[in-house]
Amino acid sequence: MGTIIFDLDGTLIDSAPDIHAVLNAALAPLGVAALSLERVRAFIGRGAPTLVRRACDALDVPEAERQGVLDRFLARYATAVDLTRPYPHAIGALDTLRAAGHKLGLCTNKPIDATRFVLDHFDLAERMDVVIGGDSLPVRKPDPATLRAVMDGMNTRRCLYVGDSETDCETARAAEMPFALFTEGYRTTPTEDLTHRAAFADWSRFPALAQGILAEN
């Protein structure tokens, strides 16, 4: 059996609506224009500080105001789950993989408190053997140390990484790990321009896809 490590936002769950709402709420005291959901989706991927920086750059927010935006964002984001939904069949795919004997881990740039809250909310925590969040280590994805920390926690070197974004692709490449791309997430780069072992849009297809990739490695 093998080990499969997953990204979270844009991969297992569609959290962009909550991120969008929380980010606009954090920006509202500045009196700036609200950002669209589509624009916020394009900012997701390298952690909360980068998300907020990208939003502030887009709105020309003065440097002196930016820490306040980040603080307000993080305070609300830690428990923001009302608009978040797992992607169809994602939880079923995890259960199928666990039943087949695979170890499952999570490697996300989402802050660890927000990660654990949403995992508990959707009963996903018990399905993950090891969880690394965006502030669990001194570095974030695409630094390969993040994936290696999950692998170390599960005492394995035979692994598949699953994500939706350019950041996930870079992380897998840096860690020299096969990568499966979920195409319905938050990337902006065309699928054909990202290095991946396989791409999929339907989580019900993933268990068989993963078993095939792991059998090759």
Side-chain angles (χ1 to χ4, degrees), residues 2-59:
T3 299
I4 306 168
I5 303 175
F6 300 88
D7 174 52
L8 183 58
D9 296 305
T11 300
L12 292 174
I13 61 172
D14 182 8
S15 54
D18 268 313
I19 295 172
H20 171 248
V22 171
L23 181 59
N24 277 326
L27 289 162
L30 304 182
V32 296
L35 293 164
S36 69
L37 175 58
E38 181 179 4
R39 199 163 192 193
V40 171
R41 281 169 60 98
F43 294 157
I44 298 171
R46 297 211 174 206
T50 298
L51 172 83
V52 169
R53 176 180 56 76
R54 288 170 172 170
C56 288
D57 286 348
L59 296 170

Side-chain angles (χ1 to χ4, degrees), residues 63-91:
E63 193 64 38
E65 302 284 356
R66 296 187 176 202
Q67 185 61 47
V69 176
L70 178 59
D71 291 344
R72 290 191 295 273
F73 177 84
L74 291 173
R76 291 171 177 264
Y77 188 41
T79 57
V81 296
D82 291 345
L83 304 176
T84 295
R85 299 289 182 271
Y87 283 104
H89 309 298
I91 294 178

Side-chain angles (χ1 to χ4, degrees), residues 24-209:
N24 277 326
L27 289 162
L30 304 182
V32 296
L35 293 164
S36 69
L37 175 58
E38 181 179 4
R39 199 163 192 193
V40 171
R41 281 169 60 98
F43 294 157
I44 298 171
R46 297 211 174 206
T50 298
L51 172 83
V52 169
R53 176 180 56 76
R54 288 170 172 170
C56 288
D57 286 348
L59 296 170
D60 294 322
V61 172
E63 193 64 38
E65 302 284 356
R66 296 187 176 202
Q67 185 61 47
V69 176
L70 178 59
D71 291 344
R72 290 191 295 273
F73 177 84
L74 291 173
R76 291 171 177 264
Y77 188 41
T79 57
V81 296
D82 291 345
L83 304 176
T84 295
R85 299 289 182 271
Y87 283 104
H89 309 298
I91 294 178
L94 298 180
D95 289 342
T96 297
L97 291 164
R98 285 188 68 84
H102 297 291
K103 293 181 179 181
L104 307 183
L106 192 78
C107 184
T108 174
N109 277 341
K110 195 183 193 78
I112 192 63
D113 286 346
T115 296
R116 294 200 180 281
F117 191 89
V118 76
L119 291 180
D120 288 341
H121 181 75
F122 290 113
D123 294 324
L124 288 170
E126 63 189 19
R127 294 170 166 90
M128 297 296 170
D129 296 292
V130 176
V131 175
I132 291 291
D135 48 2
S136 297
L137 302 174
V139 295
R140 296 182 175 88
K141 296 184 296 183
D143 193 306
T146 53
L147 279 181
R148 290 174 183 148
V150 181
M151 293 168 71
D152 288 345
M154 291 191 285
N155 193 30
T156 185
R157 283 293 175 268
R158 182 168 175 259
C159 193
L160 167 66
Y161 183 51
V162 187
D164 69 293
S165 70
E166 295 86 349
T167 299
D168 294 319
C169 179
E170 290 176 42
T171 309
R173 185 168 60 246
E176 299 181 332
M177 185 180 299
F179 176 59
L181 176 66
F182 177 61
T183 60
E184 306 308 292
Y186 306 151
R187 68 187 165 80
T188 57
T189 303
T191 301
E192 59 271 19
D193 292 342
L194 294 177
T195 302
H196 55 277
R197 184 69 61 85
F200 67 102
D202 181 352
W203 274 104
S204 66
R205 293 185 54 245
F206 180 72
L209 187 72

